[in-house]
Amino acid sequence: MYSSRSFIAISRRGLWALWLALALTGCGSSSEGMVTDPVPSPGIPEPALADSLPIVFVHGAAGSGQQFHSQAMRYVANGVPPERIRVYEYDAGVEGIVQAAAGAHVLPLYQFLLDLTAEFGVDQVYLIGHSLGTIVSTEYLASGFATGPLPVPAPANLVAKFVGVDGMVSPICPGLVPCLGIFAGQSTVGLGQDNAYIDHQAHVQVCTSAESFEAQFEFLYGFKPQIVDIQAPAGMVSIAGRAVNFPQNTGRSGSTLEVWPIDSESGHRSAPTPLASLAISDDGRWGPVEVSTQKHYEFLIRSPDAVDHHFYLPRFERDTDLIRLLSGPDDSDTRTNTHVGPGHSAIVMSRMREWYGDHPAAGNDVVEISTRSPARGNQPPVNVITPAVGNDTIGIHIHDDAATPGQTTLQPLPYFPDQAFQTGVDVYMPATEPPDGTVTIRSMARGKAEAVQTLNFPNWASDRHRIGIVFNDYDR
């Protein structure tokens, strides 16, 4: 994710003419811009904003639609119909960054918005971009605008309002579309003349936080939201999402997804058969699946090109179609740089809000990991959020390193600290095949000692299994 002025060229001579020519020939939509399937919300009263313009979120580098997961739930809680919230997803890796900076998404995003306005019979949408997503959005908005009659609508004319989160800076709004800039911390930069600055929040948190939502909502609708905290109703909710090769955000085609109910205390499966077994579509979509708000689940991706990939998440609190299972084949960079073996577990832990390990003012997070293994011995809790983690990490790779096998040193692992928004920590979690025990992770949010998220899961051996841990970016 980038917050740089250097990517932006406010005007592109000739791009409007090229865009118009292609648009008139009926250019097709890009496979990169994914429209998520709407998920029904049974039991919710008629939305107060039933006729709201659709909202489109554009993520940043090393991002996905997951970064709008909590905000989408907040919008729905305040009356926006869930089917009117969409995400535009694209290659968020190194090649994708180059493509985005070169304006490669102008036409695909245009077609995406054309299709969306046609679907709902409206003329415009609300556009929200984060980080590199503000670059993608700005390239689009600045590619052409007009006030006179045209055979097709100009790009900027399809957008009623634009929110740029911690990215593009400019004294004027791109495409002259009314805009709001939201930035992390105190700053002298801005986007247009209407800006919000949120103290003690970092680059990703300022996209997913409640304070960011409040600023977005009031700008879009002209009044404050009634509901900001994400609340969990009792009963069943409907969930769906995508399983993707990350960071390219292409679908895990040819894979299947199994959803298993698990015992919350041990993390082991509590039923002989999965709740659901789903074929993952070519674009990665799966679901919907009805799950209980009172239970935990294991999400298992089985693929011909990879070992089993297990995911564990907190209990689901509202309907959502923005679950993202970030995976990849065995020859992916993440897998090839992970030290694996039959005697220890390896996990990737993520949260769409930075963990603070050395913050001078906001306090630090605590994430304790412990393991129970009758065959290989127990390991006491250790806090993996050390000062070396820093204050800008959302993905932490945790496993036993090759240099000190069978020991927890909490030293940085090779390779991962050099990747954007990632790091690695050496922790020994003894494992067996099949699993004989449980790994426990307790995440305690900075500044809120009572806000604890706990996940338990089997001590899968890393040579045959991958483990993904996803914590909520909000506190309850």
Side-chain angles (χ1 to χ4, degrees):
M1 300 171 187
Y2 289 82
S3 179
S4 171
R5 305 185 186 113
S6 62
F7 280 138
I8 303 302
I10 292 298
S11 63
R12 290 180 171 273
R13 298 185 182 275
L15 186 56
W16 166 250
L18 173 63
W19 165 82
L20 181 58
L22 291 175
L24 289 173
T25 61
C27 117
S29 62
S30 165
S31 62
E32 290 179 320
M34 299 295 182
V35 182
T36 57
D37 292 327
V39 176
S41 300
I44 295 178
E46 184 67 21
L49 297 172
D51 296 326
S52 168
L53 294 180
I55 297 172
V56 175
F57 174 72
V58 185
H59 62 78
S64 71
Q66 184 178 356
Q67 289 172 340
F68 209 62
H69 175 234
S70 55
Q71 302 297 35
M73 290 191 289
R74 293 184 175 107
Y75 276 107
V76 171
N78 283 275
V80 177
E83 65 272 13
R84 290 181 177 244
I85 300 174
R86 305 294 173 90
V87 296
Y88 178 84
E89 299 184 277
Y90 57 95
D91 185 347
V94 174
E95 292 184 5
I97 294 171
V98 175
Q99 293 170 355
H105 293 286
V106 171
L107 291 176
L109 183 54
Y110 172 73
Q111 188 65 53
F112 187 94
L113 300 188
L114 271 184
D115 293 343
L116 193 57
T117 53
E119 178 181 346
F120 289 102
V122 297
D123 295 327
Q124 294 181 307
V125 305
Y126 295 136
L127 186 63
I128 302 173
H130 174 237
S131 191
L132 183 65
T134 68
I135 310 303
V136 172
S137 300
T138 296
E139 294 278 1
Y140 167 81
L141 291 170
S143 64
F145 58 94
T147 57
L150 289 171
V152 291
N157 289 355
L158 288 175
V159 178
K161 294 182 180 181
F162 170 58
V163 178
V165 183
D166 216 39
M168 166 67 182
V169 297
S170 171
I172 61 173
C173 292
L176 302 184
V177 169
C179 69
L180 168 70
I182 303 176
F183 294 90
Q186 299 300 315
S187 178
T188 57
V189 302
L191 179 63
Q193 303 303 307
D194 190 0
N195 292 279
Y197 303 93
I198 306 177
D199 206 9
H200 298 323
Q201 293 191 6
H203 183 61
V204 176
Q205 183 183 4
V206 80
C207 176
T208 62
S209 71
E211 293 84 356
S212 179
F213 168 73
E214 290 180 289
Q216 295 174 30
F217 189 95
E218 186 170 5
F219 170 71
L220 295 181
Y221 299 110
F223 57 92
K224 296 181 182 296
Q226 292 185 342
I227 300 173
V228 175
D229 294 333
I230 296 175
Q231 302 169 348
M236 305 294 289
V237 293
S238 179
I239 63 171
R242 296 181 66 220
V244 299
N245 299 295
F246 192 75
Q248 292 77 23
N249 284 320
T250 54
R252 291 291 287 146
S253 178
S255 303
T256 60
L257 175 66
E258 296 175 1
V259 182
W260 291 83
I262 62 175
D263 178 82
S264 295
E265 296 300 319
S266 69
H268 288 252
R269 295 167 186 169
S270 59
T273 58
L275 172 68
S277 182
L278 311 167
I280 296 173
S281 65
D282 288 345
D283 62 7
R285 297 180 196 172
W286 57 266
V289 178
E290 297 288 323
V291 298
S292 170
T293 59
Q294 306 302 309
K295 296 181 179 180
H296 286 93
Y297 296 88
E298 170 198 349
F299 295 79
L300 171 60
I301 295 179
R302 296 188 186 274
S303 306
D305 60 354
V307 298
D308 287 354
H309 200 163
H310 312 259
F311 292 86
Y312 300 90
L313 298 83
R315 293 184 179 96
F316 296 98
E317 299 180 322
R318 298 189 69 91
D319 293 350
T320 179
D321 64 355
L322 286 176
I323 299 172
R324 294 297 181 264
L325 304 177
L326 310 182
S327 188
D330 280 347
D331 61 359
S332 63
D333 290 343
T334 292
R335 185 65 177 175
T336 57
N337 284 282
T338 297
H339 176 233
V340 301
H344 71 271
S345 294
I347 68 176
V348 181
M349 180 179 72
S350 64
R351 182 181 73 174
M352 293 300 106
R353 167 187 174 186
E354 290 84 352
W355 276 288
Y356 285 176
D358 190 26
H359 201 282
N364 296 323
D365 293 280
V366 174
V367 177
E368 292 182 344
I369 299 181
S370 60
T371 309
R372 302 189 301 273
S373 173
R376 294 188 177 272
N378 299 337
Q379 292 293 307
V382 293
N383 177 22
V384 301
I385 308 299
T386 67
V389 169
N391 304 312
D392 60 358
T393 294
I394 61 174
I396 305 180
H397 302 257
I398 305 170
H399 56 259
D400 193 23
D401 69 6
T404 57
Q407 301 179 44
T408 293
T409 67
L410 298 179
Q411 292 300 304
L413 296 171
Y415 176 77
F416 297 109
D418 298 326
Q419 309 309 305
F421 306 102
Q422 303 176 55
T423 193
V425 181
D426 172 32
V427 176
Y428 172 54
M429 295 167 285
T432 61
E433 180 65 35
D436 73 334
T438 297
V439 180
T440 297
I441 302 186
R442 298 178 69 241
S443 174
M444 290 156 276
R446 57 182 178 270
K448 292 187 178 181
E450 73 282 3
V452 179
Q453 300 179 57
T454 301
L455 292 175
N456 295 297
F457 52 93
N459 57 335
W460 301 104
S462 57
D463 61 339
R464 299 190 186 185
H465 304 269
R466 301 168 70 179
I467 304 171
I469 303 299
V470 183
F471 282 110
N472 291 330
D473 54 66
Y474 55 90
D475 305 321
R476 286 192 69 245

